[in-house]
Amino acid sequence: MLMQRVGAPMTPAPRARRVRRAAVAMAVRCLTALLGGYALTAVVATLVARLLPIARVEATVWGMIPGFLFYAVVGLWSFHEPKLSRVAGWIWGGTIAAGLALWWLGVRP
């Protein structure tokens, strides 16, 4: 047991701070993989459906079917990549870029 001086503030041990930092990083990685991966998959599937030159219903199906595989690959990659900043940048940046492209294209005629 560590002895502490009277009146000294309680500061967490360096190991406890590392554990908390790792826990926060893992929570952010999980949220990015789950929510960001879903958002990226939804926007990419919508963009693919918008760009395909076939009927709307068929384009929606052809956009959604590969989306399941895409979501799984994005989720696996987000836990495989060592740098959290790279994961967040690619997932959230890709979502924003694809969303802007979709917004720029507008509604399908």
Side-chain angles (χ1 to χ4, degrees):
M1 184 169 179
L2 295 172
M3 298 298 292
Q4 191 171 16
R5 292 182 306 193
V6 176
M10 291 287 289
T11 58
R15 182 177 183 280
R17 276 184 263 159
R18 278 195 312 265
V19 169
R20 277 194 215 124
R21 187 173 179 178
V24 169
M26 184 54 72
V28 170
R29 190 176 293 264
C30 288
L31 285 174
T32 300
L34 292 173
L35 300 178
Y38 180 79
L40 179 62
T41 302
V43 172
V44 167
T46 306
L47 186 60
V48 168
R50 171 65 177 86
L51 292 175
L52 286 175
I54 54 179
R56 281 185 176 186
V57 174
E58 292 176 11
T60 303
V61 170
W62 280 106
M64 287 178 61
I65 288 174
F68 296 109
L69 179 62
F70 184 73
Y71 182 58
V73 168
V74 167
L76 289 173
W77 172 77
S78 66
F79 287 103
H80 175 70
E81 175 62 41
K83 288 185 134 189
L84 176 59
S85 60
R86 189 176 300 155
V87 170
W90 276 103
I91 291 179
W92 294 112
T95 302
I96 291 169
L100 286 174
L102 190 61
W103 175 74
W104 182 71
L105 287 172
V107 178
R108 186 173 179 179

